[in-house]
Amino acid sequence: MKIEALTVFPGMFDDVMSTSILGRARERGIFEFEAHDLRDWTHDRHRTVDDAPYGGGQGMLMKVEPIAEALDDIIPRTPSCHVVFFTPCGARFDQHVAERLASQERILFVCGRYEGMDERAYAYADECLSIGDYVLTGGELAAMVVTDAIVRLLPGALGDEQSSKDESFATGERGGLLEYAQYTRPATFRGQDVPEVLLSGDHARIAQWRRHDALERTCRWRPDLIDAADLTAEECLEAAVLIERYHGSHTPEE
Ligand code: ADE
């Protein structure tokens, strides 16, 4: 897979793309990354990429011409380029979107800055994404977050194939819950013991405890995830009790 970013701050990506799992995945050829400097497609002495909005208002907008010229140049370089614009007005990024994007061959992230972008630039977007309901100073951090979430799903990126399956937000059968609590040595730390069952070596009981812990944590911290989680009938009843306990009344969706 190749991931590219169009940005006015290409240097922002350097450390993130060469450190830890992402760095190793790049070294092993699991993904390639290239940042393009938007200013390379400007023609004036100041390499201007922004201008004041028509109709007035605060701040500056990114101009359409450098973006259009850059995309006309970059997109056709290889076939099948999926173009993603980052904006707080985009669809919410989540694990399902990460999984869908992980199957693309080539993705180009377009990172907005300033107060937004001339609307005509969005004609190039295959999709617009937001990483959450808050406003960042630009799309670069969003592009790095999304790249991280995608790359760790690529075969071979994490040492253990299982580790991206059995975790919070893992989708598919019995998916959709937060991850269960985990512990490592020592067995007792400042008076807090690791749950006895995890020391028992009884794998069936351990699996049962983990499933229940995942259900409990999700009901407590993210009850909004319960309706979409893949639960057994018994777990649905238990979730209703847990949500009532932690948050007061809960009416499951029909
Ligand atoms: N640019 C500014 N805020 C953003 C957000 N929340 N997600 C993606 N891109 C953004």
XYZ file of all heavy atoms in Angstrom, residues 61-118:
459
model
N -8.692 31.235 3.821
C -9.075 29.944 3.230
C -7.961 29.438 2.344
O -7.246 30.228 1.732
C -10.291 30.133 2.328
C -11.662 30.290 2.948
C -12.683 30.326 1.825
C -11.942 29.141 3.892
N -7.856 28.118 2.216
C -6.890 27.574 1.263
C -7.429 27.767 -0.143
O -8.595 27.486 -0.411
C -6.624 26.104 1.557
C -5.874 25.961 2.880
S -5.495 24.275 3.275
C -4.135 23.982 2.168
N -6.563 28.243 -1.010
C -6.968 28.541 -2.390
C -7.172 27.251 -3.186
O -6.495 26.259 -2.938
C -5.876 29.365 -3.087
C -5.713 30.772 -2.557
C -4.388 31.382 -2.978
C -4.313 31.628 -4.475
N -5.333 32.570 -4.974
N -8.069 27.302 -4.150
C -8.348 26.091 -4.931
C -7.240 25.772 -5.950
O -6.935 24.597 -6.183
C -9.739 26.172 -5.627
C -9.791 27.289 -6.657
C -10.103 24.836 -6.260
N -6.605 26.823 -6.545
C -5.686 26.520 -7.672
C -4.509 25.616 -7.298
O -4.255 24.629 -8.010
C -5.148 27.789 -8.354
C -6.188 28.684 -8.964
C -6.356 29.927 -8.114
O -6.568 29.759 -6.889
O -6.271 31.042 -8.651
N -3.752 25.921 -6.215
C -2.614 25.025 -5.919
C -3.080 23.598 -5.637
O -2.416 22.629 -6.062
C -1.973 25.640 -4.669
C -2.511 27.009 -4.554
C -3.828 27.039 -5.262
N -4.227 23.465 -4.952
C -4.720 22.120 -4.631
C -5.101 21.390 -5.917
O -4.713 20.238 -6.138
C -5.924 22.199 -3.659
C -5.475 22.813 -2.332
C -6.539 20.822 -3.444
C -6.609 23.146 -1.388
N -5.833 22.082 -6.799
C -6.258 21.444 -8.050
C -5.045 21.063 -8.903
O -4.977 19.951 -9.448
C -7.192 22.378 -8.814
N -4.083 21.969 -8.981
C -2.888 21.661 -9.807
C -2.105 20.494 -9.210
O -1.632 19.618 -9.939
C -1.987 22.886 -9.916
C -2.533 23.896 -10.900
C -1.533 25.009 -11.186
O -0.315 24.726 -11.260
O -1.981 26.158 -11.326
N -1.989 20.483 -7.894
C -1.266 19.380 -7.241
C -1.981 18.058 -7.498
O -1.352 17.050 -7.868
C -1.168 19.641 -5.741
N -3.291 18.058 -7.344
C -4.034 16.798 -7.497
C -4.057 16.349 -8.956
O -3.967 15.152 -9.240
C -5.439 16.939 -6.910
C -5.459 17.169 -5.389
C -6.883 17.304 -4.867
C -4.743 16.048 -4.638
N -4.145 17.301 -9.902
C -4.076 16.937 -11.326
C -2.745 16.264 -11.640
O -2.648 15.412 -12.516
C -4.213 18.188 -12.216
C -5.633 18.705 -12.254
O -6.558 17.933 -11.916
O -5.830 19.895 -12.601
N -1.737 16.658 -10.916
C -0.400 16.127 -11.140
C -0.225 14.771 -10.420
O 0.236 13.782 -11.005
C 0.584 17.171 -10.581
C 2.006 16.899 -10.993
O 2.238 15.909 -11.709
O 2.895 17.659 -10.570
N -0.614 14.718 -9.122
C -0.306 13.532 -8.296
C -1.244 12.350 -8.586
O -0.782 11.206 -8.699
C -0.401 13.887 -6.787
C 0.608 14.970 -6.407
C -0.172 12.647 -5.923
C 0.334 15.625 -5.050
N -2.535 12.622 -8.720
C -3.512 11.513 -8.819
C -3.209 10.571 -9.991
O -3.198 9.351 -9.807
C -4.967 12.039 -8.859
C -5.327 12.661 -7.516
C -5.967 10.917 -9.210
C -6.660 13.415 -7.494
N -2.935 11.089 -11.203
C -2.744 10.145 -12.331
C -1.401 9.413 -12.326
O -1.166 8.598 -13.216
C -2.830 11.043 -13.575
C -3.209 12.398 -13.106
C -2.860 12.481 -11.669
N -0.528 9.675 -11.357
C 0.808 9.042 -11.393
C 0.739 7.520 -11.383
O 1.591 6.861 -11.957
C 1.684 9.546 -10.241
C 2.149 10.973 -10.474
C 3.066 11.452 -9.380
N 3.287 12.891 -9.528
C 3.949 13.640 -8.661
N 4.476 13.085 -7.581
N 4.101 14.930 -8.868
N -0.214 6.975 -10.647
C -0.451 5.525 -10.702
C -1.962 5.311 -10.676
O -2.700 6.197 -10.253
C 0.161 4.772 -9.496
O -0.270 5.409 -8.310
C 1.655 4.679 -9.556
N -2.440 4.154 -11.137
C -3.887 3.944 -11.161
C -4.461 3.814 -9.745
O -3.723 3.589 -8.788
C -4.070 2.640 -11.942
C -2.738 2.018 -12.055
C -1.695 3.012 -11.669
N -5.763 3.939 -9.660
C -6.555 3.707 -8.444
C -6.055 4.441 -7.215
O -5.550 3.860 -6.266
C -6.652 2.200 -8.132
O -5.429 1.701 -7.654
N -6.196 5.758 -7.248
C -5.812 6.575 -6.095
C -7.079 7.013 -5.367
O -7.949 7.649 -5.948
C -5.033 7.787 -6.592
S -4.469 8.840 -5.262
N -7.173 6.643 -4.091
C -8.353 7.001 -3.290
C -8.046 8.309 -2.558
O -7.108 8.370 -1.755
C -8.647 5.871 -2.305
C -9.927 6.052 -1.573
N -11.159 5.867 -2.169
C -10.181 6.421 -0.292
C -12.109 6.092 -1.285
N -11.539 6.436 -0.133
N -8.836 9.354 -2.843
C -8.516 10.692 -2.337
C -9.398 11.038 -1.134
O -10.619 11.041 -1.232
C -8.693 11.746 -3.450
C -8.340 13.136 -2.926
C -7.839 11.392 -4.659
N -8.741 11.303 -0.006
C -9.453 11.588 1.248
C -9.087 12.994 1.713
O -7.909 13.302 1.892
C -9.056 10.574 2.344
C -9.751 10.904 3.661
C -9.372 9.148 1.912
N -10.105 13.845 1.906
C -9.871 15.181 2.463
C -10.175 15.142 3.953
O -11.172 14.545 4.368
C -10.806 16.207 1.808
C -10.353 16.706 0.462
C -10.061 15.837 -0.574
C -10.259 18.078 0.223
C -9.666 16.309 -1.821
C -9.868 18.568 -1.021
C -9.564 17.681 -2.045
N -9.342 15.810 4.745
C -9.624 15.920 6.179
C -10.247 17.266 6.495
O -9.716 18.312 6.119
C -8.348 15.731 7.005
C -7.940 14.298 7.052
C -6.825 13.856 6.384
C -8.716 13.378 7.743
C -6.478 12.521 6.402
C -8.378 12.042 7.760
C -7.261 11.615 7.083
N -11.369 17.207 7.173
C -12.086 18.408 7.579
C -12.992 18.039 8.753
O -13.500 16.906 8.808
C -12.948 18.966 6.410
O -14.047 19.722 6.951
C -13.517 17.873 5.522
N -13.218 18.983 9.689
C -14.150 18.671 10.777
C -15.570 18.438 10.259
O -16.414 17.910 10.995
C -14.080 19.896 11.696
C -13.328 20.935 10.965
C -12.573 20.289 9.859
N -15.847 18.803 8.997
C -17.179 18.563 8.415
C -17.278 17.186 7.762
O -18.310 16.860 7.153
C -17.507 19.618 7.364
S -17.469 21.275 8.014
N -16.238 16.361 7.839
C -16.270 15.051 7.195
C -17.026 14.016 8.005
O -17.442 14.279 9.141
N -17.197 12.831 7.424
C -17.820 11.707 8.144
C -16.865 11.257 9.243
O -15.649 11.351 9.084
C -18.082 10.565 7.174
N -17.405 10.764 10.326
C -16.582 10.390 11.480
C -15.749 9.144 11.172
O -16.292 8.110 10.770
C -17.485 10.135 12.684
C -16.754 9.695 13.944
C -16.371 10.857 14.829
N -17.567 11.465 15.373
C -18.145 11.089 16.521
N -17.643 10.103 17.222
N -19.202 11.713 16.946
N -14.453 9.254 11.365
C -13.543 8.121 11.185
C -13.706 7.147 12.347
O -13.788 7.558 13.504
C -12.100 8.639 11.147
C -11.077 7.551 11.042
C -10.902 6.858 9.855
C -10.294 7.205 12.128
C -9.966 5.847 9.754
C -9.357 6.199 12.034
C -9.194 5.507 10.842
N -13.763 5.845 12.033
C -13.798 4.830 13.095
C -13.119 3.554 12.579
O -12.559 3.534 11.481
C -15.234 4.573 13.590
C -16.137 3.980 12.510
O -15.626 3.558 11.449
O -17.358 3.942 12.737
N -13.197 2.495 13.376
C -12.484 1.258 13.029
C -13.013 0.636 11.728
O -12.243 0.057 10.968
C -12.581 0.263 14.191
C -11.641 -0.919 14.084
C -10.165 -0.542 14.187
O -9.812 0.498 14.728
N -9.316 -1.384 13.654
N -14.318 0.788 11.470
C -14.867 0.254 10.212
C -14.241 0.971 9.021
O -13.895 0.344 8.014
C -16.390 0.452 10.153
C -17.133 -0.363 11.155
N -17.441 -1.683 10.944
C -17.615 -0.046 12.378
C -18.087 -2.140 12.001
N -18.205 -1.171 12.887
N -14.102 2.287 9.134
C -13.495 3.054 8.034
C -12.027 2.657 7.890
O -11.524 2.483 6.775
C -13.651 4.578 8.272
C -12.997 5.370 7.145
C -15.118 4.957 8.416
N -11.340 2.457 9.025
C -9.930 2.033 8.967
C -9.818 0.719 8.201
O -8.948 0.554 7.337
C -9.367 1.880 10.374
N -10.714 -0.220 8.482
C -10.661 -1.524 7.811
C -10.933 -1.380 6.313
O -10.280 -2.016 5.488
C -11.665 -2.482 8.455
C -11.113 -3.013 9.768
C -12.141 -3.749 10.607
O -13.219 -4.107 10.085
O -11.858 -3.950 11.803
N -11.889 -0.521 5.985
C -12.194 -0.311 4.562
C -10.987 0.324 3.862
O -10.587 -0.100 2.772
C -13.442 0.576 4.456
C -13.819 0.965 3.051
C -15.205 1.569 2.978
N -15.434 2.736 3.787
C -14.919 3.952 3.560
N -14.117 4.141 2.525
N -15.206 4.968 4.354
N -10.383 1.323 4.485
C -9.242 2.002 3.852
C -8.026 1.080 3.748
O -7.219 1.206 2.823
C -8.880 3.275 4.612
C -9.908 4.407 4.555
C -9.448 5.604 5.381
C -10.178 4.852 3.119
N -7.901 0.146 4.692
C -6.736 -0.748 4.687
C -6.719 -1.652 3.453
O -5.693 -2.254 3.140
C -6.699 -1.586 5.963
N -7.841 -1.745 2.734
C -7.846 -2.589 1.543
C -7.560 -1.783 0.265
O -7.520 -2.345 -0.826
C -9.195 -3.323 1.410
O -10.201 -2.373 1.188
N -7.328 -0.470 0.397
C -6.978 0.342 -0.778
C -5.509 0.116 -1.142
O -4.685 -0.153 -0.271
C -7.167 1.835 -0.464
C -8.596 2.253 -0.220
C -9.406 2.331 -1.502
O -8.845 2.469 -2.595
N -10.712 2.222 -1.369
N -5.210 0.291 -2.444
C -3.812 0.158 -2.857
C -3.043 1.450 -2.657
O -1.850 1.463 -2.367
C -3.762 -0.163 -4.350
C -3.412 -1.589 -4.637
C -3.641 -1.887 -6.095
O -3.011 -1.213 -6.936
O -4.479 -2.767 -6.375
N -3.767 2.559 -2.854
C -3.089 3.854 -2.776
C -4.080 4.891 -2.243
O -5.207 4.990 -2.723
C -2.643 4.240 -4.190
C -1.892 5.537 -4.248
C -1.328 5.767 -5.648
N -0.817 7.115 -5.732
C -1.128 7.966 -6.698
N -1.936 7.623 -7.684
N -0.626 9.179 -6.679
N -3.656 5.621 -1.232
C -4.521 6.641 -0.622
C -3.765 7.959 -0.608
O -2.582 8.011 -0.262
C -4.892 6.266 0.832
C -5.583 4.914 0.889
C -5.792 7.335 1.444
C -5.919 4.451 2.297
N -4.462 9.029 -0.993
C -3.869 10.366 -0.912
C -4.686 11.190 0.075
O -5.890 11.403 -0.120
C -3.883 11.021 -2.305
C -3.446 12.480 -2.373
C -2.031 12.680 -1.846
C -3.536 12.985 -3.822
N -4.043 11.622 1.149
C -4.704 12.453 2.148
C -4.465 13.923 1.818
O -3.308 14.336 1.631
C -4.144 12.168 3.541
C -4.492 10.806 4.070
C -3.521 10.016 4.670
C -5.785 10.320 3.992
C -3.834 8.764 5.183
C -6.115 9.066 4.498
C -5.140 8.289 5.085
N -5.523 14.688 1.764
C -5.401 16.125 1.523
C -5.677 16.833 2.848
O -6.754 16.690 3.423
C -6.376 16.591 0.413
C -6.213 18.082 0.161
C -6.139 15.785 -0.863
N -4.663 17.553 3.337
C -4.730 18.126 4.681
C -5.039 19.609 4.607
O -4.230 20.388 4.097
C -3.395 17.927 5.391
S -2.889 16.197 5.431
N -6.205 19.988 5.120
C -6.596 21.398 5.143
C -5.888 22.135 6.267
O -5.415 21.540 7.228
N -5.780 23.430 6.129
C -5.191 24.315 7.155
C -6.033 25.569 7.225
O -6.982 25.718 6.481
C -3.767 24.718 6.750
C -2.743 23.701 7.131
C -2.156 24.037 8.487
N -1.803 22.842 9.225
C -1.463 22.859 10.515
N -1.451 23.980 11.183
N -1.166 21.744 11.132
N -5.672 26.500 8.025
C -6.352 27.787 8.149
C -7.826 27.562 8.498
O -8.157 26.620 9.205
C -6.173 28.636 6.878
C -4.730 28.665 6.432
C -4.292 27.935 5.340
C -3.787 29.379 7.166
C -2.957 27.933 4.966
C -2.454 29.367 6.798
C -2.047 28.639 5.706
O -0.735 28.620 5.356
N -8.709 28.380 7.971
C -10.127 28.270 8.356
C -10.902 27.326 7.447
O -12.117 27.267 7.487
C -10.795 29.660 8.336
C -10.201 30.628 9.333
C -10.280 30.123 10.774
O -11.352 29.642 11.167
O -9.259 30.199 11.481
N -10.194 26.615 6.594
C -10.875 25.683 5.693
C -10.365 25.854 4.283
O -9.287 26.426 4.061
N -11.139 25.365 3.342
C -10.679 25.276 1.964
C -11.752 25.836 1.040
O -12.940 25.720 1.356
C -10.571 23.783 1.655
C -9.355 23.400 0.922
S -9.342 21.613 0.793
C -7.900 21.272 1.754
N -11.350 26.413 -0.065
C -12.329 26.789 -1.093
C -13.142 25.537 -1.442
O -12.564 24.472 -1.736
C -11.572 27.304 -2.331
C -12.498 27.850 -3.405
O -13.434 27.122 -3.812
O -12.276 28.984 -3.846
